[in-house]
Amino acid sequence: MNILTKEKPNKPVLAEEAEPISMTVAQYIVKQLSAWGVRRIYGVIGDTTFDLLDELARQNEIAYIACRHEGAAALMASAEAKLTGRIGVCLATSGPGIANLLNGLADAAADRAGVLAITGQVASDQIGTGTKQEINQQLLIQPIARQSELLAHPDALPQLLQRLLVHAVLHGEVTHLSIPKDGFRKKVRGEVVPYFPHLHQAVETPLQLWEDAARRLDSAMRPVIYAGRGAESASQELIRLAEKLGAPIITSLPARTLVPNDHPLYAGGLGQAGSECSSLILAECDLVLMLGATWWPDDYVPKQASVLQIDIDPSQMGKGHPLVQGIVADLASALPKINERLGQQPDRTSWKERTAKLREAWRLRIEGEAALEGSPTPPQAIMAELSDWLESDAIIAVDTGDHTLWFNRIYQAKREQRILISGRWRTLGFAVPAAIAAKLCCPERQVVAVAGDGGAVQTLLEFQTAVEQGLPITVLIINNGAYAMEKNRMLAEGMNTLGSVIRNPDFAAVAKALGGYGRRVEDRNGLREALTEAQKNPQPVLIEVMTADTVVPHTSA
């Protein structure tokens, strides 16, 4: 009251008190996520998240995918984010629930896939008391999540959730929101915030940088292009640039589909799993144009060459390699600017002839390996059959292991295909959850999981999730009875191979027990028949291929 007039003071303009809108915390979360394009939440049930699960069951905007393990749920969210560019969302309960999420979330964090993890927490009056399943979730997840918040009051939810979504979608970060068990039913003040297109608005790069880049490329006598997944939006311009420069193209594994693998300038993958051709080219080049790539193994960084890097994320510049120039830009707009500024090109005849000779020698070697026969099936033959069988727009989820090296070495990718991997985290068990997420996102496309026996056992029970969801994915398990990559490296070092041999279950029988179709094959003909069957089968299919733990060339300790 005003002391002098004893009248109520006028309220400041726009300071009307906001009344709670008719949404609980659980309802608000569903509406807010839906407004930002979230279509699925992957999770495992727990008593701290009952209210959110109940709300998800009452609506049709967001589907809930019930998984067998929280780690697999997080891998599914990570794979969806990698495949679509949308935010992946996973859900878990307190204590062991959030602890189990960490491996899948670390995969997303390492590969810059935007994922939001929502976890239930113990009731508000029990936080910090050491009650069952209570842990400081923010400390637990700190090394992985860039932003992690505890909802202490429902009125903070709109601001907290918006910030977490922005960080996930804009920076490709893992973010985390924990909500006390009793918090889901409380009323929220605030409105649902729509997604803003300006979050992905391109920033104009100074023209001088494009002029400088073009001059460097014009003056290079032995240029090469190294492309990663970040160049996906600019694949046509990338090929056009390479053809202007006469520059061979080397790719990371996820980027193999950006360039037709039979293109005369394609030199194969990078690293131990890549081509000898690419290794020799890098050792002889004088300039590397690095486009949208985040990984470069130390042994393959050229010492004699200058590196010009273009990436949308400034934090990726110069990681593990020196730079002569770095440009922060979206490659879809960057490469046309460089192409139009290139001048008269020098005579690079000797470089073109040298790289063409290396590529031809590599092609003949790979064709020879791909033609191998025998029982058990040579790993090279498996990848060759897969190349021939997969549709032109298939999505291939590749697990981590010895088979990954053979895949990158032999497989011939097509332009419209997508390859999903656990890139920098390299966790076992990625392929099956990733294939499930891919089929949910793209039901019209063929989806295949390629896993070794060591990785398959990590998440194989999610095959039952595929059965429940009615997803006709194909799971190819390459069974060599060992953690072959580790075994062969230990042998190269002269070490005992303790722990490297696996006693596997009958994978085909497990698939049948989980409600799908399973078949074991011993040779190339059997594999070809099984793949043909899989293409016609409307249920999830598992093909177990018996193979040997053949040593991949370049294997070293």
Side-chain angles (χ1 to χ4, degrees):
M1 301 227 359
N2 188 306
I3 297 175
L4 297 178
T5 64
K6 299 193 177 189
E7 295 177 358
K8 290 184 179 180
N10 293 327
K11 293 180 180 179
V13 176
L14 301 180
E16 292 292 331
E17 292 184 10
E19 292 298 324
I21 59 177
S22 57
M23 278 194 286
T24 64
V25 165
Q27 292 169 336
Y28 184 92
I29 289 172
V30 172
K31 291 294 185 183
Q32 181 66 84
L33 294 182
S34 178
W36 280 58
V38 173
R39 294 295 172 259
R40 277 163 293 277
I41 296 177
Y42 305 93
V44 175
I45 192 171
D47 65 345
T48 63
T49 58
F50 283 171
D51 287 288
L52 183 54
L53 291 169
D54 179 64
E55 187 56 40
L56 285 168
R58 295 173 184 272
Q59 51 82 56
N60 297 313
E61 295 173 338
I62 297 178
Y64 177 70
I65 309 301
C67 304
R68 269 62 196 165
H69 191 279
E70 293 90 348
L75 286 171
M76 292 180 199
S78 177
E80 176 164 338
K82 292 177 186 181
L83 179 63
T84 67
R86 297 193 301 264
I87 301 168
V89 181
C90 54
L91 175 68
T93 192
S94 57
I98 181 176
N100 283 343
L101 281 179
L102 296 182
N103 184 54
L105 294 179
D107 172 77
D111 285 352
R112 296 158 59 199
V115 169
L116 169 66
I118 300 173
T119 59
Q121 178 58 289
V122 299
S124 301
D125 60 355
Q126 294 180 321
I127 294 176
T129 66
T131 190
K132 68 177 179 68
Q133 295 193 337
E134 192 267 333
I135 192 171
N136 187 323
Q137 296 188 9
Q138 278 58 52
L139 285 179
L140 180 67
I141 205 170
Q142 186 177 32
I144 296 170
R146 187 63 179 267
Q147 295 279 324
S148 176
E149 303 292 348
L150 170 66
L151 183 66
H153 193 284
D155 289 359
L157 180 60
Q159 184 176 347
L160 286 183
L161 189 52
Q162 183 188 5
R163 185 167 77 239
L164 297 176
L165 290 171
V166 168
H167 274 270
V169 74
L170 187 59
H171 303 295
E173 295 172 352
V174 170
T175 59
H176 168 237
L177 179 63
S178 57
I179 302 172
K181 180 179 179 179
D182 55 318
F184 285 103
R185 298 184 183 184
K186 295 179 179 178
K187 294 289 186 175
V188 177
R189 294 175 187 268
E191 300 292 338
V192 169
V193 179
Y195 168 78
F196 296 112
H198 71 255
L199 291 173
H200 283 110
Q201 183 176 337
V203 177
E204 192 65 30
T205 303
L207 295 179
Q208 184 60 48
L209 294 180
W210 302 125
E211 300 285 353
D212 294 342
R215 278 196 296 271
R216 292 183 192 281
L217 292 169
D218 286 342
S219 62
M221 295 304 299
R222 299 182 303 281
V224 61
I225 295 175
Y226 171 37
R229 182 171 62 95
E232 181 182 5
S233 61
S235 59
Q236 294 282 12
E237 285 292 330
L238 186 157
I239 294 170
R240 180 176 164 226
L241 176 61
E243 290 172 347
K244 279 188 175 182
L245 298 171
I249 305 169
I250 299 168
T251 62
S252 65
L253 176 51
R256 284 202 66 148
T257 59
L258 302 190
V259 183
N261 288 188
D262 58 357
H263 191 283
L265 288 175
Y266 185 62
L270 179 68
Q272 182 183 348
S275 70
E276 284 91 342
C277 171
S278 69
S279 299
L280 291 170
I281 286 173
L282 283 174
E284 298 177 19
C285 70
D286 62 0
L287 177 68
V288 179
L289 177 59
M290 188 174 181
L291 304 173
T294 61
W295 178 73
W296 203 334
D298 292 340
D299 293 344
Y300 295 85
V301 177
K303 303 296 188 293
Q304 80 292 340
S306 300
V307 178
L308 166 57
Q309 184 174 4
I310 306 175
D311 199 288
I312 192 66
D313 185 353
S315 69
Q316 298 301 317
M317 293 293 178
K319 291 180 74 171
H321 54 271
L323 284 183
V324 67
Q325 185 181 5
I327 301 177
V328 179
D330 172 48
L331 286 166
S333 61
L335 294 192
K337 291 182 173 65
I338 292 179
N339 270 322
E340 66 189 28
R341 285 170 172 77
L342 289 177
Q344 182 67 35
Q345 297 300 296
D347 183 1
R348 298 192 179 102
T349 302
S350 61
W351 180 238
K352 294 176 183 177
E353 290 175 349
R354 169 62 175 162
T355 56
K357 182 179 179 180
L358 291 172
R359 290 194 302 275
E360 179 62 14
W362 174 249
R363 183 186 67 80
L364 292 174
R365 176 168 182 175
I366 290 306
E367 286 182 355
E369 290 186 18
L372 292 172
E373 299 279 355
S375 178
T377 319
Q380 300 97 318
I382 297 172
M383 301 310 167
E385 289 297 329
L386 197 62
S387 295
D388 293 340
W389 174 69
L390 282 170
E391 295 174 5
S392 60
D393 66 344
I395 302 172
I396 312 111
V398 184
D399 218 307
T400 300
D402 190 70
H403 67 283
T404 317
L405 306 182
W406 289 115
F407 180 88
N408 200 19
R409 182 178 179 86
I410 303 294
Y411 185 79
Q412 298 300 297
K414 301 177 179 66
R415 280 288 303 278
E416 300 302 318
Q417 292 176 344
R418 284 293 304 271
I419 299 172
L420 296 173
I421 65 168
S422 179
R424 299 184 73 90
W425 190 242
R426 299 188 183 185
T427 182
L428 291 173
F430 174 81
V432 174
I436 291 170
K439 193 64 176 177
L440 287 167
C441 293
C442 305
E444 74 288 353
R445 296 173 70 173
Q446 183 186 33
V447 177
V448 176
V450 183
D453 45 356
V457 296
Q458 298 272 330
T459 53
L460 184 57
L461 287 183
E462 298 302 331
F463 188 81
Q464 192 172 44
T465 304
V467 172
E468 286 186 353
Q469 296 292 327
L471 304 175
I473 64 172
T474 299
V475 177
L476 192 67
I477 297 182
I478 300 167
N479 186 350
N480 56 23
Y483 294 103
M485 182 188 296
E486 289 74 15
K487 178 183 177 182
N488 291 330
R489 290 175 64 187
M490 293 172 82
L491 287 172
E493 185 71 8
M495 304 172 91
N496 192 295
T497 58
L498 179 66
S500 65
V501 176
I502 308 171
R503 182 178 178 181
N504 286 315
D506 183 333
F507 288 112
V510 171
K512 294 174 185 176
L514 294 175
Y517 174 82
R519 176 174 172 178
R520 174 183 287 184
V521 299
E522 303 281 347
D523 56 28
R524 191 166 190 157
N525 287 333
L527 174 59
R528 194 176 294 130
E529 291 174 4
L531 291 172
T532 301
E533 285 180 8
Q535 205 155 12
K536 304 172 184 176
N537 203 315
Q539 63 185 148
V541 171
L542 186 151
I543 302 171
E544 178 182 2
V545 190
M546 307 307 293
T547 187
D549 57 348
T550 307
V551 179
V552 179
H554 314 304
T555 295
S556 62

